Amino acid sequence: MRGAVIYAPGDVRFENLDDPKIINPTDAVIRTVATCVCGSDLWPYRGAEPIGDPHPMGHEYVGIVEEVGSEVANVRPGQFVVGSFATSDNTCANCSNGWQSNCLHREFMSTCQADYVRIPNAHGTLVATDEHPDSEMVPSLLAVSDVMGTGWYAALAAEVKPGSTAVVVGDGAVGLCGVIAAEELGAERIIAMSRHESRQKLALEFGATDIVSERGDEGIARVKDLTGGIGADSVLECVGTAESMRQALHSARPGGNVGFVGVPHDVVVDGQELFFSHVGLRGGPAPVRRYLPDLIDRVLSGRINPGAVFDLTLPLDQVAEGYKAMDERRAIKALLKP
């Protein structure tokens, strides 16, 4: 088969790779219908994370089941499936408590920008649709496998409630999906922090009521202006930098909550400051598997359209261009089709 391999910052290649095989009885192999480049893939691409030896990339996927291990009973060959970037058995204590992304047998997916993918813990990770979806539904179902599920978790972690005010820090795919989530959970006012016109437009289409283009102290001041000088009930931090975390914490009102889902890079939280702010803070890798049935239903019923975050579609063999376009902010998110 063929797949993406990263060699160095800015150096992603499309190469021949070994075909995936069933290794454990709980594995499945799927034929990829669509995959994509994630904003978190840009950290190593930009040199902000070590790469080490060349290795495959990708953790978002939808596909058709080709083969299953002997202990996989919930999906069968021929079915269209959606999974998560973190695999889970869906039966351990952590999974039972709703934290499938901290499953005791968790494995993080990292080979999905390829023609075929082995899915560990397939029996607890994959969710099959009743029938093969129409092609126009595929982008939104792909979004559910990570960015929509992550945006949903950010909103829940920030405790977005009906009638509340929510701020979304970050206008990438996760942040934009966070706008969808906040709207679905009933926020009355949704303030999207964005400096890019195309992303501002999409945020408004998704349900944002206000756009704040300022950053840093100016951005915090603008949020305070929009919230009567107090701050927001809920803030979704969807970037992962020191600046974005500070902006999120200072945009929340006393007693408000911040849900952080951007993978932290050089983020340090001042304990004294957090203590006296009365702001709640929760985040981490999103337990996407918990939300898959609900989010898949919302997509298939036409209630949400997170696939709109894909503003560039390329054949899989042009994966390097997908990375480059996102790195240069010519694209919000690149969808790849084998």
Side-chain angles (χ1 to χ4, degrees), residues 35-41 59-60 142-143 146-148 172-174 177 199 306-313 322 325-326 330-336:
T35 182
C36 55
V37 180
C38 184
S40 62
D41 293 333
H59 55 264
E60 298 162 279
L142 177 60
D146 183 358
V147 290
M148 186 63 238
V174 171
C177 287
R199 300 176 187 218
V309 300
F310 294 105
D311 55 350
L312 177 65
T313 299
M326 288 177 60
R330 291 184 285 110
I332 300 171
K333 194 166 178 66
L335 185 145
L336 306 167

Side-chain angles (χ1 to χ4, degrees), residues 18 21 37-38 52 74 114 124 154 162 229-230 268 274 315 325:
D18 292 338
K21 302 182 185 305
V37 180
C38 184
N74 65 313
I230 300 299
V268 177
L274 184 64

